[in-house]
Amino acid sequence: MKKFTILATTLVASTLSLSLVNNISKAEAASLVPQQEGEIALTNVACFTGNCISTVPFGYTISSEVYSPNYKRSLLFSDKSSTVNNYPNQLNPGLVIKFTNPDAGTNPTAIENWFRPVAIKANGSLVENGELEVGQFKFNFTQTISELELSFFDVEQNGTTILNVNGVAFNEAIASGLDSNIKKVKLTNVDSFVIKLGSIGGNFKTGDGVLLKVSTPEPASILSLGALALTGLFGLRKSKKSSPVA
């Protein structure tokens, strides 16, 4: 297993204005990723497993967007490190998303949760049994978030991009790095954002899988996220990609 390394790049992007809510705690950011493992409920895609986790208690919803004509809208999971998970399709139990340890995509190194996309081909088949972490998603918040931190795990080739913030084109590409790198971007005054995670093909057989963590330093009282204190903190992931194409 490769040695874990961290390359943290912080970009600060101001959206609309720089005003922050007064007296907000500046303690370490709290993760908005549900700490229960499982499939995340999407506003526009049917639940694959039949038992999806709602993000409404966290103050936001997520929709999946088309990122390639050869693929369906991706699914999204909350995945804890160092665990093995099998998620059969509710309508076709023979179709199973499998997160192994280690897996063919982005491997875990800790015991924390990150958002994990699952790419599905247009014909409904899974790539690497569901272990290709590529997708495009829109996050909509019920209240404006004065400061939001996006963490990207294992960006190894071009493709991962913040496409849109608050309905305005943003197009901030996340620079690639070494295996298991972490890149961070801070946004201010966020109502929504659209993110493309990972890429298809390129230097790897199937593509470059990328995980996402969304965090905020704002206290739960300001976000009206009563469950936040019970649903966890940070996350790290390690990657092991398919062998490069010869």
Side-chain angles (χ1 to χ4, degrees):
M1 183 171 286
K2 298 177 183 177
K3 183 179 179 181
F4 179 76
T5 59
I6 294 179
L7 302 177
T9 301
T10 301
L11 307 174
V12 180
S14 177
T15 62
L16 300 186
S17 73
L18 295 176
S19 61
L20 299 177
V21 177
N22 292 330
N23 300 318
I24 288 178
S25 171
K26 294 303 179 183
E28 287 189 284
S31 175
L32 298 186
V33 182
Q35 296 301 289
Q36 173 189 351
E37 285 192 291
E39 184 180 4
I40 298 297
L42 301 170
T43 63
N44 59 344
V45 178
C47 188
F48 181 92
T49 61
N51 184 25
C52 282
I53 302 168
S54 173
T55 59
V56 172
F58 293 81
Y60 64 91
T61 58
I62 307 172
S63 57
S64 182
E65 299 193 338
V66 175
Y67 64 94
S68 167
N70 299 318
Y71 286 78
K72 291 186 174 182
R73 299 172 191 266
S74 291
L75 302 175
L76 192 64
F77 286 76
S78 172
D79 187 52
K80 182 179 291 183
S81 54
S82 300
T83 60
V84 175
N85 303 100
N86 292 323
Y87 296 106
N89 180 254
Q90 61 174 326
L91 301 178
N92 179 9
L95 185 64
V96 183
I97 293 172
K98 298 179 180 180
F99 297 157
T100 56
N101 181 25
D103 63 32
T106 301
N107 293 334
T109 58
I111 56 171
E112 298 149 334
N113 290 55
W114 287 62
F115 283 123
R116 180 174 183 155
V118 172
I120 300 180
K121 289 189 174 181
N123 63 7
S125 63
L126 299 170
V127 186
E128 296 178 346
N129 292 320
E131 293 179 347
L132 177 59
E133 304 94 344
V134 175
Q136 184 169 309
F137 303 93
K138 181 176 183 179
F139 286 67
N140 276 297
F141 294 90
T142 56
Q143 298 183 45
T144 299
I145 308 301
S146 68
E147 184 176 326
L148 198 67
E149 181 177 88
L150 306 182
S151 301
F152 304 88
F153 187 86
D154 208 30
V155 181
E156 294 188 85
Q157 65 184 27
N158 295 335
T160 296
T161 306
I162 304 172
L163 298 172
N164 183 297
V165 178
N166 297 346
V168 178
F170 196 71
N171 292 325
E172 178 68 57
I174 308 304
S176 60
L178 300 178
D179 183 36
S180 302
N181 65 81
I182 292 177
K183 302 296 179 73
K184 297 182 179 181
V185 176
K186 289 185 179 180
L187 305 174
T188 61
N189 298 327
V190 181
D191 297 314
S192 68
F193 68 87
V194 177
I195 187 76
K196 182 180 182 295
L197 299 171
S199 58
I200 301 298
N203 296 326
F204 304 104
K205 284 184 177 179
T206 52
D208 180 35
V210 173
L211 304 183
L212 172 70
K213 184 177 69 176
V214 181
S215 307
T216 177
E218 296 187 22
S221 59
I222 291 192
L223 289 174
S224 298
L225 306 179
L228 184 59
L230 302 177
T231 52
L233 300 171
F234 318 99
L236 293 176
R237 282 286 189 272
K238 180 178 171 66
S239 87
K240 177 184 177 183
K241 291 293 185 295
S242 301
S243 300
V245 176

